[in-house]
Amino acid sequence: MKQNKGLVALAAISGGLAVAAGAFGAHAASGAAKGWLKTGAEYQLMHAVAAMCALSLPRGRLAAMLLLLGSALFAGSLYAMALGAPSRWGIVTPVGGAGMILGWVVLALAALR
């Protein structure tokens, strides 16, 4: 587990950022920004927890990395648009989604080994 300390820390930071984004969306945003922040926060938080769980498996490190990277791209693109970035940032969102899906597949394979 010692070699995974950095990933655990990243997952914890990701979870904290998700809570902050969700709170900002709930209290300070409106319109599409509110929805983007809510969606990003939900996905980022669940994938931060999933990454920590993945690290409990002997071969779960790659799954954790994919889950964290995918959620950072997915949620990050939504957060960027909510904070005023051009809507073309939305092209990054499905790339992040694909990373999260791949992370789940790798996690399932790790669990079966």
Side-chain angles (χ1 to χ4, degrees), residues 51-95:
M52 287 192 186
C53 293
L55 291 170
S56 70
L57 293 173
R59 297 177 186 243
R61 187 173 170 81
L62 177 59
M65 290 189 298
L66 289 166
L67 291 166
L68 289 173
L69 178 61
S71 69
L73 291 172
F74 180 88
S77 63
L78 293 176
Y79 299 160
M81 290 189 304
L83 296 173
S87 61
R88 66 178 170 263
W89 272 83
I91 197 152
V92 176
T93 310
V95 174

Side-chain angles (χ1 to χ4, degrees), residues 7-35:
L7 281 174
V8 170
L10 282 175
I13 291 166
S14 182
L17 287 172
V19 173
F24 183 74
H27 300 288
S30 61
K34 186 177 192 104

